[in-house]
Amino acid sequence: MTGAESRTVNDRTLGGLRSSGEPPSFLISGSTGMVGTALTKLLLAGGHRVTGLTRKPSEADPGRTARVRWEPESGTLHTGDVDGHDVAVHLAGENIAAGPWTATRKARIRDSRVRGTDLLCRTLAAAENGPRVLVCASAVGFYGDRGDTSVDESSRPGEGFLAQTCVEWEAAAAPARAAEIRVVHLRIGMVLSPAGGALSRMLPQWRLGLGGPLGGGRQFWSWISLDDLVSVILHAAIVEGLEGPVNAVAPRAVRNAEFSRTLGKVLDRPAVLPAPSLALRLLLGEMADEMLLGGANVVPRRLQETGFEWRHPELEGALRHVLGRPRETAG
């Protein structure tokens, strides 16, 4: 169980979201994904009502989560289903790392984000008593490959498929902003968890001692622990002055070579078998350049300015926590 699952929501902090004495309620798309599951468990533990948007409402979620049907492809979502909630959290989207980026896969990745966000935001805007806060996932892919240059929320978008997708993804929230709903776009970095995402796919080969840097290892990886990402989502929901882009990353990005050394240290495995850039490009094509061999040194300026406190600000501590490998103590 992660720290995010073992903690409960600070009801006094969240209480400002609703004027009555009841805990605020949450509407969550992607509630059964890695991030959505951790967020849902934390909210339910705090006594909050959670409604998951799903294509299959007949399948019960674990816990006490209500489910309502939505279908972004056909534009199916009823205003009555979003009424009565205080916060909407939009996490749904096609897995960008499920396979090489064919033209079909790229269209599905883009459409799942842009169409889904547009449908949700148009529905929120039309609702009589819908959420007045929308926390919407985006990604640090917005910045593209920036080499050694640091970027923050004021930086321009980069180039490439992911950057353009993020630009369109964030723009699709325009109906919610026009309806004076406070919209926060979380530009999320690599999420550290063995339950899913990039780290979970890396672990099998690393545990066999077959890990190492990717390409030259100089590319920056901006990351965040799953616990901290869940806390960032709640922080974004709570802080009234927080809107627009927010970089959801740890305070210090690391180069891939440092990430590799640190993961090897935590797992007590060597980190000396590099994956050549050419081999990665032959295997994954465009996806290799944008997701593995490129990156950006992303600074979480807005979180720092609004007083967010990370539980896992350093990579080694974060990896030890999520992988259950605490430091050995003397004696």
Side-chain angles (χ1 to χ4, degrees):
M1 176 179 292
T2 69
E5 294 169 0
S6 63
R7 288 178 290 140
T8 58
V9 179
N10 185 331
D11 290 319
R12 291 180 298 173
T13 303
L14 285 174
L17 294 171
R18 171 172 281 197
S19 58
S20 70
E22 299 178 15
S25 60
F26 287 73
L27 179 73
I28 304 176
S29 76
S31 61
T32 59
M34 176 183 69
V35 179
T37 296
L39 175 63
T40 296
K41 288 183 178 180
L42 178 61
L43 290 169
L44 291 177
H48 297 267
R49 180 166 66 93
V50 177
T51 300
L53 296 177
T54 178
R55 292 176 173 83
K56 299 178 180 179
S58 60
E59 296 182 2
D61 272 344
R64 305 180 300 281
T65 310
R67 306 190 85 186
V68 298
R69 182 172 180 265
W70 83 320
E71 191 62 54
E73 291 81 1
S74 62
T76 301
L77 180 61
H78 302 293
T79 55
D81 289 331
V82 306
D83 273 329
H85 296 86
D86 301 292
V87 180
V89 180
H90 181 35
L91 302 171
E94 182 83 7
N95 185 347
I96 64 173
W101 289 350
T102 63
T104 299
R105 284 269 309 138
K106 288 168 72 172
R108 288 176 59 185
I109 289 169
R110 177 199 171 278
D111 290 349
S112 69
R113 286 158 172 77
V114 176
R115 288 184 181 178
T117 302
D118 176 70
L119 173 60
L120 177 59
C121 289
R122 285 189 289 106
T123 306
L124 294 178
E128 292 184 5
N129 187 33
R132 305 311 302 166
V133 181
L134 169 63
V135 181
C136 187
S138 183
V140 295
F142 176 93
Y143 301 107
D145 182 9
R146 304 302 273 268
D148 292 345
T149 302
S150 297
V151 294
D152 63 17
E153 291 87 349
S154 66
S155 300
R156 60 175 176 79
E159 299 179 353
F161 169 67
L162 284 182
Q164 183 58 38
T165 297
C166 288
V167 169
E168 296 180 33
W169 189 4
E170 294 181 12
R177 289 191 291 269
E180 298 185 347
I181 295 170
R182 180 167 64 85
V183 179
V184 182
H185 296 286
L186 294 185
R187 293 175 181 166
I188 302 171
M190 175 184 178
V191 182
L192 300 186
S193 171
L199 180 61
S200 68
R201 290 188 291 274
M202 296 167 62
L203 287 174
Q205 69 184 62
W206 276 84
R207 284 173 169 150
L208 292 173
L210 302 176
L214 304 181
R218 287 190 52 78
Q219 65 275 31
F220 275 101
W221 279 12
S222 294
W223 59 275
I224 188 169
S225 73
L226 178 58
D227 284 7
D228 277 335
L229 178 55
V230 169
S231 295
V232 167
I233 293 170
L234 297 179
H235 182 81
I238 293 163
V239 179
E240 285 293 336
L242 196 58
E243 61 182 316
V246 173
N247 292 332
V249 295
R252 188 177 73 87
V254 298
R255 296 187 189 275
N256 173 256
E258 180 180 347
F259 187 98
S260 299
R261 289 194 301 271
T262 306
L263 181 57
K265 178 181 178 181
V266 170
L267 293 175
D268 194 22
R269 292 291 186 273
V272 295
L273 292 178
S277 300
L278 178 60
L280 291 171
R281 291 187 177 111
L282 288 173
L283 181 65
L284 298 172
E286 180 183 5
M287 176 180 163
D289 279 311
E290 293 206 24
M291 292 191 63
L292 303 177
L293 300 174
N297 182 2
V298 180
V299 178
R301 187 80 63 205
R302 295 293 288 129
L303 289 180
Q304 293 168 335
E305 290 172 348
T306 54
F308 181 78
E309 295 183 5
W310 284 263
R311 297 184 72 209
H312 308 293
E314 295 296 331
L315 179 63
E316 182 176 344
L319 287 171
R320 289 191 179 280
H321 173 75
V322 301
L323 298 177
R325 297 184 66 91
R327 299 176 188 271
E328 294 183 2
T329 58

